[in-house]
Amino acid sequence: MKKRTLKKMTMGLGLVAGVSLMSACTKTVPYDPVYKEKVHAKSEIDTGAEYLYVASSDASSRDDMGTSDATPYMQGQEKIVKFRFTEDTLRIVEIEEDARLKSNELNEKILLEIPIQHVEYRCAEDRYGKCTNKEEENNEKNWANKANFIPDLSKVKSPGLSLLPVESGKLWGDSCYRETSSRFLDYKLEKGALNIQVEKTFTASIDCLSSLNGLQSLSDLQSRIVYHYSFTKLNGITSKDYKTVSYPRKDEGTFGFFSTEYRKYDVDFTRTEKMRQDFMNRWNPDRKEVVYYMTENFNKPEFAAIKKASETAFARVNQGLKDAGIDLRLTLKDGSGKASGDARNSMLIMVEDPVAGGPLGYGPSVANPRTGEIVSARVVMYYGNMLQGLSMTYDELVKEMKREKKNGDLFKASAAADGKKASASMNGRVLSDELKNEMSMRNSITSRLAAKLARDASQSYGKIRHESLQKGSKNLSSATTRWTTDNFARMSEKQFMKLTMQSAAKSEPEDRIAAMSSGHCMYPSELFPFDEAIAKGLDSKLSGDLKPWEDLSDAEKNEVIALVGPEIWIPTLIHEIGHNLGLRHNFGGSEDKDNFYSAAELAKMNVKHKVPYSSVMDYGQRELNLLPTLGKYDIAALKFGYLRQVEKADGKFVEVKTTIKDLEKADANLKLKDYQYCSDEHVEVNPNCKRFDEGTTRTEIVTSLIEQYEKFYNLRNLRRGRENFTQMTDRGYMGRIRSTFGYIRAFMENYEMIKARFKVADNDEAWTQVEWLKDVKNAALISGRFFVKVLKTPDLHCAIARRSE
């Protein structure tokens, strides 16, 4: 029984009469309503308005299966939707953009369906037609005319794919998972927004065991994921005055931003290039502040250092924005009570559990599908993975650090010492006398075979590469043209590589690391330079006798984590915030030596070491020399995206009113300041566009890649106290080695491609007289020698013998 003011109830004419009869006696009377906790007025859903829909995963169960399918806080694709009431459901449909096709309701794609009951209430009347102060449901109205509805969220159906990891497997029909249960958790319907949370349980098929690394028990085949469906009124989250930025290929190849593709049919209902529009993704340049809400676990005492490191990272990004002349600032606030999956919230999320697949950070954003305006963003930091990488690398590095400390140089890794080590142990393998004898007996045969294999593989792949490039080439001169030394000398290396990349057909990344970094803005932990971060963090502690990780007490381990954690956290967080601002990866930052910070510039930042990168969006090979803030390329890119300005070669800035191409057409003498840029799709084409490389020439890059392989050989191939060290991990290891070897091999392919494309013989004088061609050939030789060395290294065998009695 509740008390209500009757004149606030709208139950029809009978109720109005009842109010008139009793108003002379009292203003409030006992009233017996129908229990309506789950009842909502249909007016709370604006069926005439457009909503922005984003599906994402919130928390998920710990995953030991070695896949990234259950990675928490992944985000799906944004869509513009409308709500439709039917007799049985509340439908959320992706609307048809073409006005000519809107009359056909079947063109609207159903993304979500919520079973509902249409209801309306009135005051129950006595036989004289008077209100009895008791409420009843009005079943005399048609469902369409009833004012309220009751949703049954426990039976939500999602026929539309959201491209979240587990669900996206359904698209190709090769998913290892089946949904075994679904449980509604919560929903919140308010003016202009609806948020729904559903927990789903997935079970992996036994047929997929070969791809599930690290499986400990059948229980690990199950994953529980919380899905969050967010709907926000489009005009309530976007800017009315936002101006789109056209982002054609010329601009895309100069400064890398994420983009939104908006496509329409032509008048004859065909898809044509002229009807496609690409808009740059960015925040509204007139916006002054973006507030990021931190998840509640940042307030735990044990994460005080991580919280401070986060504040440092945000301060450095804001300084970079200030240096770029941009008014936008990022503010960190406590996020208690804020839902991470709500598209209205920008979030900084810390995941404490280790996550399979190895991400360190993830930085997606939510953009208007029609304009590219970023309306919210999230950075997910995987703390558990950071700890795993830290502890796995600690022991190996401490030994290295102690030895180098005695030699008086903490961080310098001598190439000569590495060479002797590799020669003595053959890639870190300690050889017995018997094995050395066997190796020497086989060397003459193996070396000849290895040389032939390397030669045949290089030649055959060069032919395939040449043919594939020929098919996609429109910009290069005829492949039969005889290029002389003078031809090459007149063409700069950058011009040549630009033509090469233009002629190569773009392909989707095949390996997991490429997919993580390109498609999901993830920073993979397995290739993060943990050793350098630990060295930097523990520098002051090296005077003592550092113990192995297993011998450290919990308090000592926490001390190491507190010292080293920020060294890993800060550069990763800054990198992911860069993605939130719209920036793509720039793997050309390590080659862009003309735009490295000078020693004087670094000194102003209190940085005392050399930083061989022009972009924080690169994947650095060594943490010790990563950028501590936004680099010169990043600042130039942000000025281009947010202020629409580019720098000329003379240091002055010019406004880009439309595109860079139009700017250059208007002024034939215009020379812009040059920045090196290449991103994920260029990695397979350009050998000096690499993730986790170092060096400004091909020779330096391939040498550093080989040194990294040698350095991590023991770390990856020896047990080192790990609980699980079986063949189940071979698949993942094979993938990493394939990626590394593919990078190194690309230098040989590049050499072969130039030979085939321009008919340049091995003894052509161009290889010795043109500097960048000398670099190409030298890098190819280094790459070839490395593979010969690998092929010549004999396999290790275990001998089992009976113990003599």
Side-chain angles (χ1 to χ4, degrees):
M1 183 74 68
K2 297 181 181 178
K3 289 189 176 182
R4 292 191 177 182
T5 303
L6 283 181
K7 61 183 179 180
K8 291 185 179 179
M9 308 302 296
T10 56
M11 302 300 174
L13 294 175
L15 179 58
V16 174
V19 172
S20 300
L21 180 66
M22 293 180 287
S23 61
C25 300
T26 180
K27 291 185 178 180
T28 58
V29 295
Y31 190 79
D32 188 11
V34 174
Y35 182 68
K36 309 194 289 282
E37 183 180 351
K38 296 182 180 179
V39 175
H40 294 278
K42 288 183 181 177
S43 59
E44 295 180 60
I45 300 289
D46 189 347
T47 55
E50 294 178 337
Y51 286 74
L52 185 64
Y53 163 58
V54 181
S56 61
S57 61
D58 281 354
S60 67
S61 59
R62 173 182 55 81
D63 183 8
D64 282 332
M65 293 187 293
T67 72
S68 57
D69 290 333
T71 302
Y73 300 102
M74 297 292 289
Q75 181 179 296
Q77 184 179 2
E78 313 94 324
K79 297 179 183 294
I80 297 177
V81 302
K82 281 192 172 184
F83 287 84
R84 300 277 190 258
F85 282 107
T86 71
E87 186 172 0
D88 302 312
T89 65
L90 175 60
R91 282 183 176 175
I92 294 95
V93 298
E94 183 177 4
I95 64 175
E96 172 59 57
E97 292 286 345
D98 196 309
R100 296 169 295 174
L101 304 175
K102 285 187 176 182
S103 59
N104 183 356
E105 292 185 0
L106 296 179
N107 287 331
E108 296 181 338
K109 306 301 187 296
I110 302 174
L111 300 179
L112 215 66
E113 280 192 301
I114 304 171
I116 64 171
Q117 177 187 352
H118 299 271
V119 293
E120 184 154 329
Y121 302 96
R122 64 186 178 186
C123 182
E125 299 175 347
D126 61 17
R127 60 180 178 174
Y128 301 110
K130 295 180 179 179
C131 178
T132 61
N133 281 356
K134 185 175 182 179
E135 199 172 60
E136 67 177 7
E137 187 175 347
N138 183 0
N139 291 317
E140 295 179 2
K141 283 189 175 183
N142 180 273
W143 67 267
N145 296 323
K146 291 183 178 181
N148 310 305
F149 72 98
I150 301 174
D152 185 358
L153 276 300
S154 65
K155 298 179 181 178
V156 172
K157 298 178 182 178
S158 53
L161 289 170
S162 58
L163 291 184
L164 294 170
V166 174
E167 291 191 341
S168 61
K170 302 175 187 176
L171 185 63
W172 314 113
D174 60 355
S175 176
C176 286
Y177 301 90
R178 69 182 189 278
E179 185 178 325
T180 53
S181 67
S182 179
R183 181 172 69 94
F184 165 70
L185 295 180
D186 193 16
Y187 79 98
K188 188 175 183 180
L189 176 59
E190 51 192 321
K191 187 175 182 181
L194 170 64
N195 285 276
I196 304 171
Q197 287 180 301
V198 178
E199 179 189 301
K200 295 185 180 183
T201 301
F202 297 90
T203 302
S205 169
I206 296 294
D207 297 335
C208 295
L209 284 178
S210 61
S211 65
L212 303 179
N213 298 323
L215 186 69
Q216 300 295 313
S217 70
L218 292 179
S219 299
D220 291 335
L221 292 174
Q222 184 187 96
S223 291
R224 295 167 60 194
I225 306 173
V226 175
Y227 283 88
H228 192 123
Y229 304 107
S230 176
F231 306 90
T232 308
K233 254 189 178 180
L234 191 64
N235 61 12
I237 197 172
T238 56
S239 305
K240 295 180 181 179
D241 59 344
Y242 182 77
K243 296 179 181 178
T244 60
V245 174
S246 180
Y247 192 48
R249 291 181 181 177
K250 169 72 176 178
D251 291 6
E252 182 183 351
T254 304
F255 293 110
F257 280 80
F258 292 107
S259 61
T260 293
E261 180 184 302
Y262 189 59
R263 302 175 66 191
K264 289 184 178 181
Y265 285 113
D266 209 333
V267 292
D268 58 352
F269 289 109
T270 59
R271 299 286 193 186
T272 59
E273 187 70 19
K274 72 175 183 178
M275 298 303 291
R276 168 181 164 173
Q277 293 178 290
D278 291 289
F279 299 124
M280 180 187 295
N281 285 12
R282 59 174 190 164
W283 297 88
N284 189 337
D286 295 332
R287 188 166 181 164
K288 302 300 181 184
E289 181 185 45
V290 173
V291 176
Y292 280 77
Y293 296 101
M294 293 181 287
T295 49
E296 294 182 13
N297 51 358
F298 276 93
N299 294 322
K300 293 182 179 180
E302 60 266 35
F303 296 134
I306 291 300
K307 184 175 182 180
K308 184 176 180 180
S310 301
E311 293 168 350
T312 299
F314 270 70
R316 291 180 181 178
V317 171
N318 282 331
Q319 181 60 51
L321 290 170
K322 181 180 179 181
D323 293 342
I326 299 170
D327 294 334
L328 178 67
R329 297 293 180 268
L330 310 182
T331 303
L332 267 179
K333 290 186 178 181
D334 178 70
S336 300
K338 294 290 184 179
S340 59
D342 190 330
R344 296 171 296 179
N345 298 332
S346 293
M347 302 290 299
L348 175 58
I349 302 166
M350 175 165 51
V351 179
E352 298 181 49
D353 292 348
V355 174
L360 265 185
Y362 172 48
S365 59
V366 177
N368 184 343
R370 291 203 186 109
T371 66
E373 180 192 4
I374 298 175
V375 295
S376 66
R378 68 172 65 173
V379 173
V380 187
M381 297 292 289
Y382 298 95
Y383 181 80
N385 285 10
M386 184 189 80
L387 293 189
Q388 282 189 331
L390 188 159
S391 60
M392 289 175 63
T393 312
Y394 173 88
D395 283 340
E396 191 77 16
L397 185 65
V398 164
K399 295 176 184 177
E400 184 81 10
M401 291 167 65
K402 283 185 174 182
R403 184 177 72 250
E404 293 180 3
K405 185 73 172 179
K406 290 181 180 179
N407 294 335
D409 190 345
L410 178 58
F411 301 120
K412 183 178 180 181
S414 169
D418 286 347
K420 292 178 181 178
K421 180 182 177 183
S423 176
S425 61
M426 296 306 295
N427 294 346
R429 310 177 188 182
V430 179
L431 305 180
S432 64
D433 292 338
E434 292 82 2
L435 197 55
K436 288 179 181 178
N437 292 333
E438 180 187 349
M439 185 184 73
S440 63
M441 292 167 58
R442 295 169 55 189
N443 266 351
S444 59
I445 299 174
T446 307
S447 61
R448 290 196 297 271
L449 176 61
K452 185 179 187 305
L453 287 173
R455 185 168 58 251
D456 291 348
S458 177
Q459 290 174 351
S460 63
Y461 193 88
K463 181 180 179 181
I464 296 171
R465 188 72 162 178
H466 170 62
E467 291 173 351
S468 65
L469 289 176
Q470 278 283 72
K471 293 178 181 178
S473 177
K474 293 182 180 179
N475 302 300
L476 286 168
S477 300
S478 170
T480 59
T481 301
R482 179 66 174 89
W483 279 61
T484 64
T485 304
D486 188 52
N487 294 138
F488 280 112
R490 285 200 297 264
M491 175 181 280
S492 69
E493 178 182 0
K494 184 178 180 183
Q495 289 173 322
F496 173 79
M497 293 316 301
K498 183 180 292 186
L499 291 177
T500 304
M501 286 189 285
Q502 289 172 344
S503 66
K506 291 184 179 180
S507 61
E508 292 298 319
E510 296 179 355
D511 62 299
R512 182 181 60 81
I513 292 174
M516 286 172 62
S517 64
S518 177
H520 299 297
C521 311
M522 280 189 170
Y523 202 129
S525 65
E526 63 199 68
L527 292 179
F528 185 87
F530 281 100
D531 56 338
E532 300 287 346
I534 295 172
K536 186 175 181 180
L538 294 181
D539 185 16
S540 61
K541 297 288 182 180
L542 280 178
S543 56
D545 184 20
L546 291 175
K547 296 180 290 187
W549 186 263
E550 291 182 356
D551 294 343
L552 296 176
S553 66
D554 287 349
E556 290 171 327
K557 289 179 180 179
N558 284 327
E559 184 181 2
V560 173
I561 292 170
L563 287 168
V564 175
E567 302 299 334
I568 301 169
W569 191 271
I570 291 174
T572 305
L573 180 52
I574 293 175
H575 176 97
E576 299 303 338
I577 295 173
H579 283 316
N580 282 182
L581 292 170
L583 295 177
R584 293 190 63 196
H585 289 135
N586 179 10
F587 303 129
S590 56
E591 292 184 90
D592 195 11
K593 58 184 176 182
D594 291 340
N595 294 302
F596 293 168
Y597 281 121
S598 67
E601 290 169 326
L602 290 170
K604 291 181 180 179
M605 303 179 202
N606 200 28
V607 177
K608 300 178 181 178
H609 56 268
K610 182 180 178 181
V611 180
Y613 302 95
S614 69
S615 174
V616 75
M617 304 314 296
D618 203 341
Y619 280 171
Q621 189 182 89
R622 296 193 302 144
E623 198 280 335
L624 278 179
N625 56 19
L626 291 181
L627 271 168
T629 186
L630 299 177
K632 289 186 177 181
Y633 161 84
D634 307 314
I635 291 173
L638 290 171
K639 286 181 77 73
F640 169 69
Y642 285 79
L643 302 182
R644 304 301 289 144
Q645 296 178 2
V646 289
E647 186 177 2
K648 297 192 296 183
D650 61 7
K652 297 180 181 179
F653 288 89
V654 59
E655 182 181 1
V656 182
K657 294 182 179 179
T658 53
T659 67
I660 292 178
K661 185 176 182 180
D662 290 339
L663 187 67
E664 292 175 333
K665 280 184 178 180
D667 184 356
N669 297 319
L670 178 67
K671 291 185 179 180
L672 299 179
K673 183 176 175 60
D674 190 30
Y675 290 92
Q676 295 287 335
Y677 169 72
C678 68
S679 198
D680 296 271
E681 66 270 22
H682 305 137
V683 168
E684 300 300 323
V685 180
N686 186 351
N688 52 335
C689 178
K690 300 295 179 189
R691 304 178 184 94
F692 304 101
D693 68 350
E694 187 172 287
T696 59
T697 65
R698 288 171 174 77
T699 300
E700 291 175 357
I701 294 170
V702 72
T703 300
S704 72
L705 290 170
I706 293 171
E707 287 177 350
Q708 283 293 100
Y709 169 79
E710 301 280 2
K711 184 175 184 179
F712 286 108
Y713 188 90
N714 284 344
L715 179 65
R716 292 166 174 166
N717 288 277
L718 299 181
R719 188 181 190 99
R720 300 179 62 254
R722 281 176 279 186
E723 177 187 5
N724 184 37
F725 191 65
T726 69
Q727 63 182 7
M728 294 296 290
T729 62
D730 285 352
R731 181 186 177 97
Y733 179 69
M734 180 183 69
R736 292 191 294 271
I737 293 301
R738 179 188 175 206
S739 176
T740 300
F741 280 16
Y743 280 174
I744 296 172
R745 175 176 169 168
F747 293 90
M748 297 168 60
E749 297 169 8
N750 184 230
Y751 174 77
E752 292 293 331
M753 184 272 292
I754 293 174
K755 282 178 54 181
R757 176 63 57 81
F758 301 105
K759 305 297 182 184
V760 186
D762 285 315
N763 60 354
D764 194 296
E765 59 183 7
W767 298 113
T768 59
Q769 295 187 14
V770 179
E771 285 301 318
W772 69 270
L773 285 179
K774 288 169 61 178
D775 185 38
V776 167
K777 186 168 185 176
N778 191 43
L781 291 172
I782 294 172
S783 176
R785 293 185 190 115
F786 166 76
F787 285 118
V788 169
K789 178 182 175 182
V790 172
L791 289 170
K792 287 173 64 176
T793 303
D795 294 333
L796 292 181
H797 301 278
C798 295
I800 302 176
R802 290 182 179 276
R803 182 179 296 175
S804 59
E805 297 182 2

